[in-house]
Amino acid sequence: MARIVKKFGGTSVGDVERIQNVARVIKSEHDAGNEVVVVVSARSGVTNDLIARAKAINPNPTDREMDMLLVSGEQETIALTAMALQALGVDAVSMTGAMAGIRTEPFHTRARIVSMDCKEIVHNLEANRVVIVAGFQGAGNQGQITTLGRGGSDLSAIALAKGVDADLCQIYTDVDGVYTADPRIVPKARKLTEISYEEMLELASLGTKVMQARSVEFSNKYNVPFEVRSSFNNNPGTIVKEEVSSMEDVVVRGVALDKNQAKVMIANIPDKPGSAARIFEGLSEANVVVDMIIQNIGRNGVANLTFTVPRDDTDRASQAVERILSELGGGEVTFVSDIAKLSVVGIGMRSHSGVASQLFSALGEAEANIQLISTSEIKISVVIDESESDHATRVVHTVFGLDKE
Ligand code: ASP
Ligand code: MG
């Protein structure tokens, strides 16, 4: 007998038939004699619809009321999933995040989990019940309803796997697992059998959208291995786990392409101490996350600064930058949005040299001009023209030996 946490995302519970399909997957696991805790998201599109409805009523809703509204999406799916199981003759009980013992900071919209108290869940598992928990939500110290950030059901699942000391945590989604690159762009992309937490975290942060980045951070911190697999077939997925030394044999595990970026170039900024600080302070006050940054050496009393921001934040970024430049008394700003960020990720980079030169020559071969570069211990990212980026990704994928036979 094993204790298993299974998380189903929004597409997996998107309509009645899909919820019934999920119920059959859960039933067969339960019939095999295992204890099953299920985490579900809201039906796909529901959370976005609720946000749009809130904004139509009030352009600046409070975070508290937003949380109160958004948790309703998951509450619909837990009840329906429990009902689907009961219709198949399986004893099942649904629980909100609070009932499941997910305790968070008392802050709204992106609360961190502070503790887990899973007694109620375990009690129900011991009574042979399947427990269905609402993802994405928790409760603050005074019972406030909180949410864990967009995509937060992944975090609920990983935290519950830790909280109930599960033998296995499975994240069911609409893809088969984690690939060496996006198969829609790189037809020769391969599904990985395993990947380390750190590599998965880089890929999640690079916008691959398979998992919420915070949930991968949590799994790394508490060493909670999990599997990413499809809810539409029975193929084995990708295991995400602690790194083992053989993983270093592969230099590059995957190639990620993020087209949701824009480049901001500021020329002729008065070159005095504190200018850059003021610009980035202003951006952070405007809630814009800045990614790659280059500042060149000041000449004739002025400096140039280039960085990237998420494309959706371009308006907010431009307002913030214009305001600060007028405070600083100079500088012209240009936005370029047809760029893409291509990254190669692999823990093998720690022990292999020459990865950067191999990447740059692959980009040369693909005739993609490099505009910006940034590196970390296990990642190299470059900004290139968006129009060249699909082709460049395929060339880089081949050069690092990732193509399937
Ligand atoms: N329903 C929430 C969202 O769309 C949480 C989740 O799906 O994981 O962000
Ligand atoms: Mg998700």
Side-chain angles (χ1 to χ4, degrees), residues 7 9-10 41 150-154 171 173 209-212:
K7 181 258 171 178
S41 294
R150 294 305 305 271
S153 298
D154 292 333
I171 307 290
T173 176
K209 300 225 172 76
V210 178
M211 289 275 294
Q212 186 208 34

Side-chain angles (χ1 to χ4, degrees), residues 12-322:
S12 308
V13 293
D15 58 31
V16 169
E17 277 93 75
R18 287 183 173 183
I19 291 177
Q20 286 167 331
N21 170 51
V22 162
R24 280 189 293 273
V25 173
I26 299 166
K27 177 179 173 5
S28 71
E29 200 72 81
H30 187 249
D31 286 351
N34 297 312
E35 292 179 341
V36 191
V37 178
V38 178
V39 177
V40 285
S41 294
R43 282 183 292 120
S44 55
V46 165
T47 308
N48 287 341
D49 285 351
L50 290 170
I51 293 172
R53 236 193 269 189
K55 297 260 154 92
I57 283 176
N58 180 339
N60 285 309
T62 60
D63 289 347
R64 180 188 188 282
E65 300 311 328
M66 280 312 284
D67 276 357
M68 191 61 88
L69 178 67
L70 295 192
V71 295
S72 67
E74 272 71 12
Q75 277 165 226
E76 176 194 343
T77 45
I78 51 170
L80 292 176
T81 307
M83 289 174 196
L85 278 163
Q86 289 158 1
L88 297 175
V90 178
D91 196 2
V93 59
S94 64
M95 289 187 188
T96 61
M99 292 163 78
I102 302 177
R103 302 274 170 266
T104 72
E105 298 170 334
F107 309 124
H108 292 288
T109 77
R110 277 181 63 85
R112 282 172 195 282
I113 294 177
V114 292
S115 68
M116 301 288 295
D117 175 6
C118 297
K119 281 196 295 292
E120 247 333 273
I121 296 181
V122 171
H123 175 77
N124 277 283
L125 293 176
E126 283 167 359
N128 200 30
R129 262 173 229 129
V130 171
V131 180
I132 322 278
V133 180
F136 177 55
Q137 51 177 263
N141 53 357
Q142 284 169 15
Q144 307 95 320
I145 290 180
T146 56
T147 60
L148 312 176
R150 294 305 305 271
S153 298
D154 292 333
L155 179 56
S156 309
I158 305 273
L160 282 167
K162 165 92 181 135
V164 303
D165 196 15
D167 301 295
L168 188 61
C169 178
Q170 297 174 305
I171 307 290
Y172 286 78
T173 176
D174 49 2
V175 292
D176 259 2
V178 183
Y179 279 73
T180 50
D182 184 340
R184 286 166 304 185
I185 297 171
V186 183
K188 287 182 180 159
R190 273 181 300 115
K191 182 167 71 186
L192 294 161
T193 36
E194 58 179 30
I195 183 171
S196 72
Y197 296 129
E198 270 184 273
E199 290 166 327
M200 185 68 193
L201 182 56
E202 289 284 7
L203 292 175
S205 320
L206 291 168
T208 51
K209 300 225 172 76
V210 178
M211 289 275 294
Q212 186 208 34
R214 283 175 92 183
S215 68
V216 185
E217 236 168 293
F218 189 101
S219 68
N220 184 21
K221 185 163 170 198
Y222 296 103
N223 191 14
V224 185
F226 60 92
E227 180 190 14
V228 179
R229 58 183 296 154
S230 167
S231 58
F232 304 122
N233 62 46
N234 210 9
N235 302 339
T238 303
I239 306 288
V240 186
K241 61 176 201 182
E242 204 170 23
E243 94 178 60
V244 292
S245 59
S246 65
M247 284 180 175
E248 290 212 5
D249 296 346
V250 176
V251 183
V252 169
R253 184 86 50 206
V255 187
L257 184 63
D258 182 358
K259 294 184 182 176
N260 187 30
Q261 297 270 317
K263 188 170 76 170
V264 184
M265 295 184 290
I266 311 178
N268 301 323
I269 308 165
D271 192 13
K272 53 189 180 209
S275 290
R278 268 307 293 135
I279 291 171
F280 292 119
E281 259 165 36
L283 287 163
S284 115
E285 281 156 20
N287 252 314
V288 176
V289 180
V290 175
D291 185 21
M292 298 162 87
I293 304 173
I294 291 186
Q295 168 159 333
N296 62 1
I297 304 159
R299 245 187 232 149
N300 306 327
V302 289
N304 299 337
L305 188 64
T306 303
F307 51 87
T308 61
V309 298
R311 211 178 277 181
D312 303 336
D313 291 347
T314 322
D315 286 348
R316 267 191 294 156
S318 101
Q319 283 161 15
V321 170
E322 296 285 5

